[in-house]
Amino acid sequence: MRLLLIEDDDAVADAIVSAMTERGHDVARAQDAREGAGMADQGGHDVLVVDRMLPGQDGLDLVLALRERGDRTPALMLTALGSVADRVAGLKGGADDYLVKPFSMDELEARVEALARRTGASPAQLTIGDLVLDRLARTVHRGTTRITLMPREFQLLELLMLSSPSVVTRTMLLEQVWHFRFDPGTNLVESHVSRLRSKIDRGGDPQIIHTVRGEGYVALAR
Amino acid sequence: MWRWPAELLRSTVFRISLLNAALLALAIGGALGGAWFATRGSVELAARDRITVEGDAVASELDREGIAGAAAAIGWRSSRPGALDYLLVDPAGRVAAGDMTTVPRGPGWHRFRIPASAGGRSQGEEMLARTMRRSDGTVIAVGEDLARGEEVREALFGVILPAGAVALLLGLIASVVVTRRALRRMEGIVATVRSVEAGDLSSRVVRIGQTHDDVDELGVAINRMLDRIGTLLAAVRRVSAEIAHDLRTPLTHASHALQAARHSGSEEVRLRAIDTASDSIAQALRLFEAMLALAEIDSGEARAHFTRVDLVTIGEQVVDAYRAEIEASGRCIEWTGEGTAVVSGDADLLTQAVANLVDNALKHSRDGAWIGVSVNVRGDVASVVVADDGPGVDPQAVDRMLRPFGRLDEARSTPGNGLGLAIVNGIARLHGGRLVLEHLLPGLSAAVELPTAP
């Protein structure tokens, strides 16, 4: 995946560049808004990662300007404070996701991958191994067996299958399935995942939903 | 100690009393001056009345009994106490009676001074007189010594003026004394404030009188403020200690795990130790996040982005999210809520508030417990109520529970960072509402009560 990182803080930028490069992504870095806009205009990036506090310009204005020029490349904002005002402004102002500093590189990678995927056409039917989820009929089958899921379980599975083979973090699940923009600090996600697992991995079938320790969950036929 | 009189002159109280004294002096002076001029007129007016009556009486004697009769009448009148001065001159120009020989002879009213050499009763005095000239040439003049009235007036003012001056002086002395006393009390207050400034927070204003005057009130207000600051500081100290304690635990775990990883030869043990360490660090980070969240809520910043939010939707979402975990733990959750309960607020924060309450009920209830979540609207108050049939709390501990890190001792063994209810309380207050904790016998009910949106 090709990322354009627009970040003036060298320490943060170096950490992101080395972590993402190690994970097999191409990262181009711009040090300020002007350089960033120039590089973005050349195109060829899957996702923009933009710091909000750039010298002389709000990163959000940069994204807005890109949007006005017709650039639809998904953008993830990095904010220093998790303030409500920043969040509301960020999501209304053309950014597609935001991440509050400090964040883990796993979280950044998962979110960037999710954003990159968002631009592709999303299929009506998702298949992993013998597990088939029909997004229009809202049905799930494992082989020939129909599996009945609660609406929230369906959403959870849909998100995991759409993201496969990428990891979906716990925070992303909380945000996208339950609209919780805070950490409830309990086993809420774990409970739902284990309930979902017990429904789709019945009868000694190979496990499809895997826990990635410290990161989140991934749906894989493994 | 204060230096007389520079300190005194600088004091507000003294300056005010000095101003008061000046104003009083002005008022007394004005009143006395006014009285002086007013009574001066009245002395002359009364004299005029008496002169007119006497003159008319002498004239009628003259008409009835002739010159001799009138002269006799004047002689008799002059002998009375407080008598006026008279002059009767016959047509030939001879003085027939009276001693006011220097009176102007032209008819009408006269003001004149009798020369000291003129002799008679009123020599050297300022006189008011009326001269009448009859058709046959007889002249009747009646006059009065104005100084006689003046003397009374002067005697009166001679008493009033010194009395006023003494009153003023006494007033000034009294205000100096009062000011000195007030200054001494102020000095006590200043000393207290200085001592607090120097770091002794236990210092208090001690010389509080029984009169409850403004200086006493100031002292009481300062003492109350110091009490409040003391309480707040104690709370800050307590919270700092709690934070230090709550952070030390996970960080110590992480440190131990990393040391173990360093000394172990087994890859498996190392990986497990690293996992333990990162879990512990994540726990510490969650505590920081909760503290930042609480600070942000308390800042009130979110109010600028309030929208219309339906508590029924939020309650349903939270119950839906927690159902799996609650049922997996062997407890049950019951949802009651219909229609809408619209408030003005931040959906994310309100969701967090309800989630925290449900989370609390889950953590602090026994296995098999019942947890009920309901939303209702009464009048213009919308409430989300989370109740359980657990052990409940001591009603006296409720205040403590709402404080940051206000975990009750019995809750120390259960997971949680001690900020959950403080955050709910903060969110309720942010929305102009409140968090109400009630003992259910058995169980605890926690209600977030918010004003409904119009």
Side-chain angles (χ1 to χ4, degrees), chain A residues 84 87 152 183 186 192 213, chain B residues 275 279 296 320-321 348 359:
Chain A
V84 179
R87 190 180 73 219
R152 210 62 70 189
D183 185 352
T186 63
H192 275 91
R213 223 198 116 77
Chain B
D275 284 346
D279 281 354
E296 197 207 330
D320 177 54
D348 290 341
D359 195 52

Side-chain angles (χ1 to χ4, degrees), chain A residues 133-151:
Chain A
L133 181 142
D134 189 321
R135 299 175 74 195
L136 297 178
R138 300 193 77 74
T139 55
V140 178
H141 287 86
R142 181 106 203 227
T144 53
T145 321
R146 165 102 190 247
I147 300 169
T148 315
L149 295 180
M150 303 289 285

Side-chain angles (χ1 to χ4, degrees), chain B residues 23-39:
Chain B
L23 285 176
L24 186 65
L26 207 66
I28 291 178
L32 286 179
W36 176 262
F37 284 106
T39 50

